[in-house]
Amino acid sequence: MLAAKIATRTARHRSWVRLASTATAPSSYKVVVIGGGAGGLAVSSTLSKQLGKNEVAVIEPSETHYQQPLFTFVGGGLKRFEETYRPTSDVIAPEAQWINQAAAQIDPDSNTVTLADGTKVAYEYLVVAAGIELDFAGIKGLESAIGKNGVASNYSPRYVQKTFEFLQGVKEGNALFTMPATPVKCAGAPQKIAYLADELFREKGVRDKVAVGYYTALGKIFAIEKYANAMNEVARSRDIGVNLFHDLVEVDGATKKATFKVLGAGPQAGETVTVPYEFLHVTPPMKPFDFIKSSAISNAAGFVDIDKGTLQHTKYPNIYSIGDCSSLPTSKTAAAAAAQSSVLKYNLLNQIRGTNAPAAEYNGYTSCPLVTGKNKLVLAEFSGYTGAPHETFFFDQAKEHAFSYWVTADALPAVYWSSMLKGTWHGPATIRKFANPTAKN
Ligand code: UQ1
């Protein structure tokens, strides 16, 4: 959804786009899916095949679909930007109706979604898969500083190539990498790029003149202890400073200074700290889209209020949600959305067909592949509900491994396009059965 505002609309893209015939399409559907990101497509591809042509509509304003898990690799110079996107028209299932607009309002009592142009679309069942909005305006000075003078972000297709461009120009000074206090998608990405930058500086022979610092608003480097221990050791061994409880509040692009507010209960709490930089990688604060937050389907924080097991809405039984916009208390990743998609589809199809099968339950599975260098990666896999690791392979995935790098950089991107977006990838649970047979779950 966010990509709508920032999509690179090249002439080449436009020529690929199939004309969305919203004018002739029925304005009422069995299932309406808000969002054509990884979760929305995983769900709508299966449902549209199962329910038949034009029973499922996907509301998605962006003409370009980005495979965001690859963005860290692009920022680190390990993948080409061109590998990360395809036209939305190519990734939406042919059986589904693409509504090429943004959703503006959800009215769950009349079962309608209002589009940006005021048109209403009626649904019997609604799946909210809208993602989360990047809030560059949430940090003072950031909007005018980003994209210039050493400030970049892998989180946006607009700035991800700037990361590598600016990193290559660094010869001395401070390289800072930030993580905000809000929920974010891919919570590992803010630190992954610090490891790739460290490697690049070493290759260029400037590492002894560049101080690399990771600044996180949180109180630890990673939520799960097993992987936090691993990442603390990676950071220590690469001489990357880890500054906990430091929340970026202001960027002064003209003087190249970043200001942090110190959180927590330490002696400096409440103070601000200003640090000069040569390079600054910002993870913007993130927030739920206004059309969700302002609707009756959201919880107090603005996320779609669903049951953490069944993914069904707590008040409106004909509404489900998946991924970054949902209230699910686990880390927001494509891997999590893949696992959630199978639960959602199973439960929703049972409801539509009136079968009384027991509901499937999502266990909080998520995965965060922490790339730490060329051919090195810590493949964190765990349940966000219990904190327990759920590793797919027989070796200790907290150790940096070339195989884990290959899985993430080469195998999973192919899986993403060929299987996840087509609704046939539901995570590695089946692979785990033979690749790690002694795993408890
Ligand atoms: C995964 O299933 C997935 O969905 C396609 C990703 O998104 C790109 C991932 O990054 C990861 C790590 C998984 C989990 C899969 C394995 C094999 C660990």
Side-chain angles (χ1 to χ4, degrees):
M1 289 281 295
L2 158 95
K5 299 195 182 112
I6 43 189
T8 340
R9 289 165 196 265
T10 63
R12 190 164 63 111
H13 284 171
R14 217 172 288 125
S15 69
W16 290 341
V17 168
R18 178 187 64 197
L19 285 176
S21 50
T22 44
T24 53
S27 60
S28 175
Y29 298 88
K30 179 72 101 187
V31 182
V32 167
V33 177
I34 302 181
L41 293 184
V43 170
S44 59
S45 294
T46 304
L47 292 182
S48 62
K49 281 185 197 79
Q50 296 271 329
L51 300 173
K53 200 160 171 60
N54 290 335
E55 296 286 349
V56 177
V58 181
I59 299 175
E60 171 54 61
S62 176
E63 286 170 18
T64 307
H65 175 101
Y66 292 96
Q67 191 198 145
Q68 299 177 63
L70 276 177
F71 280 180
T72 293
F73 292 89
V74 173
L78 300 175
K79 291 277 177 189
R80 291 180 308 116
F81 182 58
E82 288 68 28
E83 291 174 51
T84 67
Y85 57 83
R86 294 193 183 173
T88 300
S89 55
D90 283 9
V91 292
I92 287 195
E95 296 84 359
Q97 175 71 41
W98 175 25
I99 298 175
N100 187 195
Q101 276 203 62
Q105 197 184 315
I106 300 169
D107 187 347
D109 295 311
S110 66
N111 295 324
T112 54
V113 178
T114 308
L115 304 175
D117 73 354
T119 316
K120 285 190 195 301
V121 180
Y123 61 82
E124 281 178 48
Y125 300 90
L126 178 68
V127 177
V128 189
I132 190 165
E133 188 172 18
L134 304 183
D135 184 17
F136 286 103
I139 292 174
K140 195 174 168 200
L142 180 57
E143 279 182 311
S144 56
I146 195 156
K148 303 182 282 256
N149 297 321
V151 186
S153 180
N154 289 349
Y155 275 91
S156 162
R158 202 154 144 194
Y159 307 121
V160 62
Q161 296 178 94
K162 293 283 176 193
T163 302
F164 189 54
E165 183 190 321
F166 294 157
L167 281 174
Q168 285 176 299
V170 176
K171 299 197 170 47
E172 58 182 1
N174 294 331
L176 315 181
F177 300 82
T178 73
M179 162 83 155
T182 64
V184 297
K185 51 182 160 181
C186 192
Q191 61 183 287
K192 296 175 197 179
I193 189 60
Y195 307 129
L196 298 185
D198 163 75
E199 188 178 65
L200 193 73
F201 297 149
R202 286 177 200 275
E203 282 170 8
K204 295 208 171 286
V206 299
R207 184 60 177 90
D208 53 342
K209 294 193 276 314
V210 181
V212 180
Y214 179 59
Y215 288 77
T216 172
L218 307 181
K220 39 186 156 171
I221 195 167
F222 201 81
I224 308 301
E225 192 183 359
K226 169 172 176 157
Y227 306 111
N229 292 342
M231 301 329 287
N232 275 321
E233 180 49 26
V234 169
R236 193 201 55 77
S237 67
R238 314 260 157 98
D239 194 23
I240 295 172
V242 177
N243 304 274
L244 305 177
F245 292 121
H246 278 66
D247 188 20
L248 180 69
V249 290
E250 185 171 353
V251 178
D252 185 338
T255 61
K256 292 184 143 185
K257 288 197 174 93
T259 300
F260 300 88
K261 182 165 185 208
V262 184
L263 309 177
Q268 277 187 298
E271 292 175 17
T272 56
V273 181
T274 298
V275 187
Y277 62 81
E278 266 310 298
F279 173 82
L280 174 65
H281 181 271
V282 181
T283 300
M286 300 181 201
K287 58 183 187 184
F289 284 98
D290 281 340
F291 75 89
I292 296 175
K293 195 167 185 176
S294 63
S295 78
I297 68 166
S298 77
N299 65 12
F303 295 98
V304 184
D305 198 6
I306 55 172
D307 181 275
K308 72 192 246 251
T310 65
L311 278 50
Q312 187 177 36
H313 197 271
T314 53
K315 290 195 226 50
Y316 298 96
N318 63 336
I319 299 181
Y320 289 76
S321 181
I322 179 172
D324 302 347
C325 68
S326 76
S327 63
L328 298 174
T330 192
S331 297
K332 299 178 185 304
T333 66
Q340 292 159 17
S341 72
S342 77
V343 173
L344 194 161
K345 291 182 283 193
Y346 182 85
N347 290 342
L348 176 51
L349 281 169
N350 276 339
Q351 190 183 358
I352 291 173
R353 290 170 179 155
T355 49
N356 280 323
E361 297 260 337
Y362 173 55
N363 65 2
Y365 172 82
T366 189
S367 173
C368 181
L370 293 142
V371 59
T372 54
K374 280 178 192 153
N375 288 316
K376 285 188 284 207
L377 188 141
V378 167
L379 186 42
E381 283 185 279
F382 54 94
S383 163
Y385 294 174
T386 63
H390 284 266
E391 298 188 348
T392 297
F393 303 105
F394 61 87
F395 60 90
D396 180 0
Q397 291 178 201
K399 296 216 160 62
E400 294 172 281
H401 223 292
F403 175 73
S404 301
Y405 183 95
W406 174 81
V407 166
T408 305
D410 298 312
L412 284 171
V415 167
Y416 183 94
W417 296 118
S418 68
S419 190
M420 177 157 186
L421 297 191
K422 303 222 181 324
T424 57
W425 173 256
H426 302 128
T430 314
I431 300 173
R432 187 178 301 121
K433 286 198 181 114
F434 64 85
N436 192 4
T438 58
K440 284 193 207 74
N441 29 42

